[in-house]
């Protein structure tokens, strides 16, 4: 979406939108518009849209009123309400035939932050990936690609500049998550990141298979050995903070396709496993957002990229692998591969960058979807302070989290008779035992959080700021977390 700010109405654009708070029609609204809106039960609820056409000075106006709520249990506060309003406008007009929309904020009383929120909603909800759709009918094609804001409050453009960088990050994540696994595999993931980070100030470093073997990453390599795709460890460095501030480390699970390996998954729904790199996607998009808005913080993103396939060289259930940390793992189930990839990525990155905080994101367990559905990501942490910061960033960004427990009793469940641990526990508490596994690879003194985002990466139905498909979950969360805790 191309967004511009202008000082006065350009009369060439037919579609005009105004944002209306709950039960508060502006005084200058033509009487017939207000009457029509009330008759249609439009009350300015967040996400409600009312449309009417009328003639004014010899030209036809297509006027849309978009509700932003009242903040009382309904989103007006901050940017949330206007974001819903902007998103509702995008959903309604994306394929409407209109190519431009004037967002008229004259006299609206919106703050700069709320204005930016509306534009975030408009941009995010209009993202789609039509790269492989060659036979779209005209009426299925996107038409709206331009928004002209008039009457914006002071500071709105500057506020939008910051949020626009975050939107770019979310969009990049959605792109990575959407791409199928024949197109996006470890090496092509890295190539696309290199392309996108050119000129952003993010330094990219990549470890290949040989380097990982020398480092002793036996767990990560065990997962990738059944695939012809070569594994990659992608490192993205943004050093916008003070030189001796410790970095925040973000780690992502990047299984570009998860067949389950020899513990093969059933066919129904297996295509979903193209988005088993959603954690890596979120970390990569967050790095683009953070760099794009020139965050005053040191942040390092590390993605473990592999494909989990079952060929003649694939690892077997019962195999014992040695992780880079020296700890050994009995691989009971080759489908519990995410933790095997992450443990080596975490060990290497902590050794390399000495972070004080490590936040790891992964589509780790189906059990997380059973527990939380698609409303919250699961949060596990060894630090109450870090957990609270992430919960707060979740609320503020809309990428919500819910905390789960960790304890020695759960940890015991993954002890193995032949190795230091096994890669799965018993049937119950599957998300927690997965987190316990990861905790065994957290260094002393590091505040760590594991976010199991299995239910959040992909949506079966449209949400407020996304269509069906990739949501971009995690980018805004991580961006908020960095803003609120690392840039003080
Ligand atoms: N990538 C899956 C988890 C997953 C499943 C994410 C469905 C999103 C949707 C993960 O690698 C996996 O297969 N986990 C297993 C673990 C089990 C073998 C202990 C699972 O959840 O079934
Ligand atoms: Mn798996
Ligand atoms: Zn997986």
């Amino acid at each position: 979406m191309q967004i511009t700010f202008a000082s006065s109405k350009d009369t060439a654009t037919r579609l005009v939108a105004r944002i209306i708070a709950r039960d508060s029609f502006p005084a200058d609204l033509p009487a017939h518009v207000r009457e029509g809106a009330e008759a249609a039960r439009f009350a300015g609820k967040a996400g409600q849209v009312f449309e009417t056409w009328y003639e004014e000075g010899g030209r036809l106006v297509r006027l849309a009123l978009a509700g932003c709520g009242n903040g009382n249990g309904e989103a007006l506060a901050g940017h949330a309400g206007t974001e819903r309003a902007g998103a509702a406008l995008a959903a309604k007009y994306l394929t409407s035939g209109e190519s431009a929309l004037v967002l008229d904020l004259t006299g609206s009383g919106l703050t700069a932050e709320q204005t930016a929120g509306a534009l975030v909603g408009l941009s995010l909800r209009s993202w789609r990936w039509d790269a492989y759709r060659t036979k779209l009918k005209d009426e299925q094609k996107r038409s709206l690609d331009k928004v002209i804001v008039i009457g914006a409050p002071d500071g709105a453009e500057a506020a939008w500049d910051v949020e626009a960088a975050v939107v770019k990050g979310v969009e990049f994540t959605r792109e990575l998550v959407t791409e199928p696994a024949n197109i996006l595999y470890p090496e092509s993931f890295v190539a696309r990141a290199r392309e996108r980070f050119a000129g952003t100030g993010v330094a990219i470093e990549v470890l290949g298979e040989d380097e990982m073997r020398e480092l002793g990453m036996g767990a990560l390599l065990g997962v990738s050995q059944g695939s012809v795709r070569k594994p990659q460890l992608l490192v993205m460095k943004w050093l916008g903070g003070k030189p001796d501030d410790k970095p925040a480390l973000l780690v992502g699970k990047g299984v570009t396709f998860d067949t389950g390996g020899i513990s093969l998954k059933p066919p129904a729904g297996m295509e979903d496993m193209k988005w088993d790199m959603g954690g890596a996607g979120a970390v990569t998009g967050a790095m683009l957002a953070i760099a794009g808005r020139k965050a005053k913080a040191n942040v390092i993103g590390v993605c473990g990229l592999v494909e989990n396939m079952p060929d003649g060289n694939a690892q077997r259930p019962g195999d014992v692998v040695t992780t880079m940390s020296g700890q050994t793992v009995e691989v009971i189930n080759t489908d519990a591969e995410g933790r095997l990839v992450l443990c080596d990525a975490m060990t290497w990155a902590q050794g390399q960058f000495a972070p004080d905080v490590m936040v790891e994101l992964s589509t780790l367990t189906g059990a997380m979807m059973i527990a939380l559905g698609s409303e919250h990501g699961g949060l596990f942490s060894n630090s109450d302070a870090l957990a609270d910061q992430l919960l707060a960033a979740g609320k503020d960004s809309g990428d919500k989290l819910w905390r789960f427990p960790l304890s020695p009793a759960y940890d015991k469940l993954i002890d193995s008779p032949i190795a230091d641990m096994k890669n799965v526990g018993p049937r119950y508490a599957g998300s927690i035992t997965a987190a316990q596994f990861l905790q065994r690879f957290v260094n002393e003194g590091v505040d760590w959080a594991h976010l199991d985002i299995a239910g959040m990466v992909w949506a079966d139905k449209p949400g407020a700021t996304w269509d069906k498909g990739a949501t971009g979950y995690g980018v805004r969360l991580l961006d908020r977390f960095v803003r609120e805790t690392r840039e003080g």
Side-chain angles (χ1 to χ4, degrees), residues 253 255 258 260 265 272-273 275-276 308 333-339 363-369 423-426 430 452 454-455:
K253 167 178 171 181
V255 176
D258 180 12
K265 286 181 181 297
D272 281 350
M273 288 299 103
W275 50 261
D276 206 18
N308 188 21
N333 189 322
T334 65
D335 196 12
E337 85 297 340
R339 61 201 78 179
T363 49
L364 204 62
T365 64
M368 200 75 261
M369 304 174 77
N423 75 330
V424 297
D452 191 335

Side-chain angles (χ1 to χ4, degrees), residues 18-37:
R18 298 181 62 167
I19 294 180
I20 312 289
R22 185 76 186 257
D23 297 322
S24 46
F25 289 103
D28 69 329
L29 206 62
H32 67 274
V33 171
R34 178 178 179 150
E35 198 177 324

Side-chain angles (χ1 to χ4, degrees), residues 241-437:
K242 298 194 195 80
D244 30 84
D245 278 357
K246 289 195 163 203
L249 175 63
L250 310 177
V251 181
K253 167 178 171 181
V255 176
T256 56
F257 197 81
D258 180 12
T259 64
I262 295 298
S263 312
L264 195 62
K265 286 181 181 297
M270 204 203 277
E271 69 279 7
D272 281 350
M273 288 299 103
K274 73 168 182 180
W275 50 261
D276 206 18
M277 36 54 70
V283 167
T284 306
M287 292 306 299
L288 190 63
I290 287 161
R293 64 172 184 77
K294 307 248 174 299
K296 290 192 169 48
N298 298 332
V299 185
I300 293 174
V302 174
C303 296
L305 301 168
V306 304
E307 186 179 56
N308 188 21
M309 297 286 271
D311 79 357
N313 191 46
Q315 71 179 342
R316 294 146 291 255
D319 283 5
V320 173
V321 296
T322 302
T323 66
M324 185 182 168
S325 72
Q327 301 180 89
T328 55
V329 180
E330 181 188 10
V331 180
I332 298 292
N333 189 322
T334 65
D335 196 12
E337 85 297 340
R339 61 201 78 179
L340 298 170
V341 173
L342 289 164
C343 68
D344 281 338
M346 283 163 51
T347 298
W348 178 80
Q350 288 172 98
Q352 194 75 7
F353 303 115
D356 55 345
V357 164
M358 169 166 64
V359 180
E360 170 274 312
L361 293 87
S362 46
T363 49
L364 204 62
T365 64
M368 200 75 261
M369 304 174 77
I370 302 291
L372 288 175
S374 298
E375 287 303 316
H376 294 84
L379 160 66
F380 303 78
S381 183
N382 63 358
S383 156
D384 291 343
L386 174 59
D388 287 345
Q389 290 173 340
L390 285 163
L391 288 168
K395 284 204 178 107
D396 297 344
S397 66
D399 287 350
K400 287 172 290 174
L401 290 168
W402 196 264
R403 191 174 181 187
F404 281 76
L406 293 163
S407 82
Y410 288 116
D411 187 65
K412 260 204 344 240
L413 298 174
I414 54 168
D415 286 341
S416 157
I418 186 174
D420 297 334
M421 68 198 90
K422 47 189 184 180
N423 75 330
V424 297
R427 175 147 175 260
Y428 296 122
S431 303
I432 304 177
T433 48
Q436 294 291 166
F437 181 98

